[in-house]
Amino acid sequence: MTDYRFLKACNREPVDATPIWLMRQAGRYMEEYRTLRQTYGILDIIKTPELALEVTMQPINAFDLDAAIIFADILPPLEGMGLDLEFIKGTGPVIHNPVRTPADVEKLATPDAREALSFTLEAIRLTRAELDKRQIPLIGFSGAPFTLASYAIEGGPSKNKVHLKSMMYNEPDAWDKLMTKFATIAGDYLLAQAEAGAQALQLFDSWVGELNPDDYRQYVQPYSKQALDMAKEAGVPLIHFGTNTNGMLEEIRDAGGDVIGVDWRIDIDVAAQRLGDGVAVQGNLDPVALHAPWDELKARTKKILDRMDGHDGHIFNLGHGILPTTPVDNVKRLVDFVHDYTS
Ligand code: CP3
């Protein structure tokens, strides 16, 4: 199992070619996914292990990817905590009873992932069995405490995160309790996914770039660290990803993770330099670059690979999730080019 090039790169060991996977690699840009979505809602797919298996495998069947990521979402764990989650077409995820007061925080449950999220754990077991035959490792994931808190408090799309930051600044005790609950939920869920068969784990802190570095250090880092410390027990590589993190890259690293995921707003060699030798680096093509003509996309991909040439521990990825408008042909060419160019 440690022979997988993706896992080797996570451990900063030499590889025969740079590994590549894509955040949100299963999804609407694929015809196969859109067809299934005509019959099932996203939560139906997530909660039916056979369907989650099928969708997880769609990009694996279509492209020569070096890892699969289990089909799930960062938000279903909120349901077990007592929050009413709905994915609304055109709007995205909505929480109908958002957390706004210290009393709301008190009410949040912290159920064991093995019960509350048994469907995803079962999907992991099924998928792992299938992937072993294909010799491809499986990634499990969780939202990070801050990003989960962001959805729980804002309740839906939010530009300035006013409710979230207001709780942070005005209710420090409630904030601590809330973030401790999310750290527990995230850490336990990651651990349970590794027990079920996930061979690497990614913590998504997608919205953390909304904060200044001081606020990150005070209000977020201890809780991300708590979640990652719990997950570390699993003994599998941990990937810690955030966007807009240029002001706090070292702090993200110090919260934990064997691999740090970076977005496209920084040159990847500069990020690698700042992060130092102790971690691998994942990234960092702008997802929109996949909409460029192939020659342009190839040039940008080459630049990232050249910047990381000679640096053990690079996992090629996008700087954020793949977009629904992405041309499938470019995905195929990207994956093949990363392998050809680096082998
Ligand atoms: O990477 C994968 O292939 C695994 C699946 C995966 C999904 N969501 C499926 C999904 C993963 C890893 C996620 C993570 C996720 N979900 C994040 C963190 C990563 C990021 O992009 O920042 C966040 C913030 C969410 C929350 C979420 N889920 C939003 C905001 C939305 C709506 C926006 C959108 O893209 O539609 C979702 C829905 C969602 N999760 C879809 C998929 C494939 C699209 C839903 C559909 O089929 O209609």
Side-chain angles (χ1 to χ4, degrees):
M1 142 174 172
T2 42
D3 230 32
Y4 291 131
R5 78 164 62 109
F6 163 72
L7 295 175
K8 280 184 165 172
C10 290
N11 294 319
R12 288 170 287 116
E13 291 163 25
V15 285
D16 61 335
T18 299
I20 171 170
W21 70 281
L22 306 172
M23 288 185 280
R24 301 271 196 115
Q25 63 192 17
R28 286 164 300 185
Y29 73 103
M30 293 187 76
E31 173 80 47
E32 300 90 318
Y33 179 82
R34 291 195 300 271
T35 304
L36 204 70
R37 280 283 278 108
Q38 284 171 1
T39 314
Y40 303 100
I42 175 161
L43 283 174
D44 299 329
I45 299 176
I46 291 172
K47 292 179 181 179
T48 311
E50 292 75 16
L51 293 177
L53 160 68
E54 183 180 336
V55 174
T56 302
M57 296 307 291
Q58 286 175 349
I60 300 302
N61 293 333
F63 317 111
D64 188 20
L65 293 158
D66 292 292
I69 179 163
I70 192 65
F71 190 78
D73 194 82
I74 61 164
L75 298 175
L78 301 184
E79 291 188 310
M81 300 177 81
L83 297 176
D84 184 5
L85 168 69
E86 188 186 358
F87 285 90
I88 299 175
K89 204 172 158 48
T91 310
V94 170
I95 307 289
H96 293 294
N97 54 345
V99 175
R100 293 285 163 82
T101 66
D104 293 338
V105 173
E106 288 298 330
K107 274 188 288 185
L108 285 177
T110 50
D112 189 325
R114 290 148 202 83
E115 283 162 32
L117 296 155
S118 58
F119 41 84
T120 294
L121 301 177
E122 181 57 19
I124 287 175
R125 282 181 214 104
L126 294 180
T127 307
R128 175 66 195 276
E130 189 59 37
L131 286 169
D132 279 353
K133 294 183 214 155
R134 320 253 193 122
Q135 293 282 293
I136 292 171
L138 178 63
I139 303 169
F141 68 93
S142 170
F146 179 77
T147 294
L148 294 176
S150 170
Y151 278 99
I153 295 172
E154 295 295 336
S158 148
K159 202 161 152 30
N160 295 315
K161 309 282 186 285
V162 173
H163 292 296
L164 173 79
K165 291 186 182 179
S166 296
M167 186 181 291
M168 211 166 85
Y169 299 136
N170 291 293
E171 304 286 353
D173 291 343
W175 179 261
D176 174 61
K177 279 199 180 121
L178 180 75
M179 289 294 278
T180 301
K181 285 185 180 188
F182 280 124
T184 307
I185 287 288
D188 174 62
Y189 184 33
L190 289 172
L191 200 51
Q193 291 179 75
E195 285 164 15
Q199 291 140 298
L201 300 165
Q202 177 157 322
L203 192 71
F204 282 94
D205 215 349
S206 304
W207 304 143
V208 76
E210 298 292 327
L211 295 174
N212 73 35
D214 278 334
D215 284 347
Y216 180 77
R217 281 185 281 269
Q218 180 175 351
Y219 296 107
V220 177
Q221 193 188 39
Y223 308 97
S224 292
K225 181 171 183 330
Q226 194 183 326
L228 288 164
D229 280 349
M230 275 175 81
K232 217 190 275 178
E233 296 291 310
V236 304
L238 305 178
I239 308 169
H240 189 179
F241 166 78
T243 66
N244 272 310
T245 54
N246 293 345
M248 55 181 88
L249 215 46
E250 292 81 0
E251 284 82 358
I252 299 265
R253 172 199 63 200
D254 292 346
D258 305 288
V259 182
I260 304 300
V262 293
D263 75 14
W264 64 92
R265 297 175 181 91
I266 186 169
D267 290 335
I268 193 162
D269 52 334
V270 173
Q273 173 89 35
R274 278 175 57 188
L275 290 167
D277 290 337
V279 291
V281 181
Q282 177 171 281
N284 72 343
L285 184 73
D286 182 348
V288 180
L290 279 159
H291 298 66
W294 168 241
D295 281 349
E296 174 66 23
L297 171 58
K298 183 165 88 173
R300 285 162 179 254
T301 303
K302 200 159 162 278
K303 218 171 211 173
I304 292 170
L305 294 168
D306 288 344
R307 286 182 199 278
M308 292 302 278
D309 189 24
H311 190 288
D312 286 332
H314 176 215
I315 296 144
F316 195 98
N317 206 315
L318 306 178
H320 203 167
I322 194 168
L323 297 167
T325 44
T326 303
V328 173
D329 282 354
N330 271 352
V331 178
K332 185 165 176 20
R333 290 206 247 192
L334 170 71
V335 174
D336 291 340
F337 177 75
V338 167
H339 291 150
D340 291 346
Y341 187 67
T342 57
S343 60

